[in-house]
Amino acid sequence: MDMLEYIAQQSASAPTPSSGAQQAPAPGSQSPFGFGDPFFFVVIGGLFLFMWLFVMRPQRKEEKRKKEMLSLLKKGDRVVTTAGILGSVANVKDETVTLNVGDGARIEFLRSAISSVVSENGTAVEVADSKPAKKK
């Protein structure tokens, strides 16, 4: 049987409402969108949990780490900017940092433009490594 013949046969045998109004769903049946199904709410809750665990939480940790790194900037630190410019900190102000970029050239950047602090060999320094040691 051809697919079109099958569809025509099914539509001819389907009951049609006598009036133009749609029939109300039978009591106890689910809505066509699945909103009455408890599994729907479990899936939506799982999606929110996934987003929080794997997207929002790591992003907040990274923001906290960067904020702490920027607050610990001091004169003499070697840094990399978001544009990839290497330099050493010459002056630190509230919102800006002045960098020595070589041959006495100085450039002033916003603090937020500093992407990381680097060690002498060029590797990024973790925030925990750059904290001053506590005296006992």
Side-chain angles (χ1 to χ4, degrees):
M1 183 183 290
D2 189 17
M3 181 61 98
L4 291 175
E5 291 174 6
Y6 176 76
I7 293 172
Q9 185 182 26
Q10 292 297 320
S11 64
S13 65
T16 58
S18 58
S19 66
Q22 293 184 357
Q23 291 180 339
S29 68
Q30 295 179 359
S31 72
F33 302 109
F35 291 120
D37 190 5
F39 183 69
F40 172 78
F41 294 108
V42 171
V43 170
I44 295 297
L47 286 174
F48 280 117
L49 180 66
F50 176 81
M51 290 289 291
W52 183 76
L53 284 175
F54 294 105
V55 177
M56 296 186 318
R57 191 169 153 241
Q59 184 177 2
R60 285 184 184 161
K61 280 185 175 182
E62 179 62 24
E63 287 173 4
K64 183 179 177 183
R65 184 201 65 80
K66 185 170 181 179
K67 187 176 182 179
E68 186 177 353
M69 183 258 313
L70 292 176
S71 69
L72 294 174
L73 279 178
K74 62 187 178 301
K75 189 174 180 176
D77 284 346
R78 290 187 45 81
V79 296
V80 177
T81 66
T82 54
I85 298 172
L86 285 165
S88 61
V89 177
N91 190 9
V92 179
K93 295 180 185 173
D94 290 339
E95 296 294 320
T96 61
V97 175
T98 305
L99 299 182
N100 270 337
V101 291
D103 294 332
R106 291 184 177 203
I107 303 175
E108 190 170 8
F109 289 94
L110 291 174
R111 270 188 189 244
S112 60
I114 306 299
S115 65
S116 63
V117 177
V118 295
S119 65
E120 295 301 320
N121 61 5
T123 59
V125 176
E126 291 296 319
V127 174
D129 295 341
S130 62
K131 287 183 181 177
K134 292 183 179 179
K135 295 182 182 179
K136 292 184 179 182

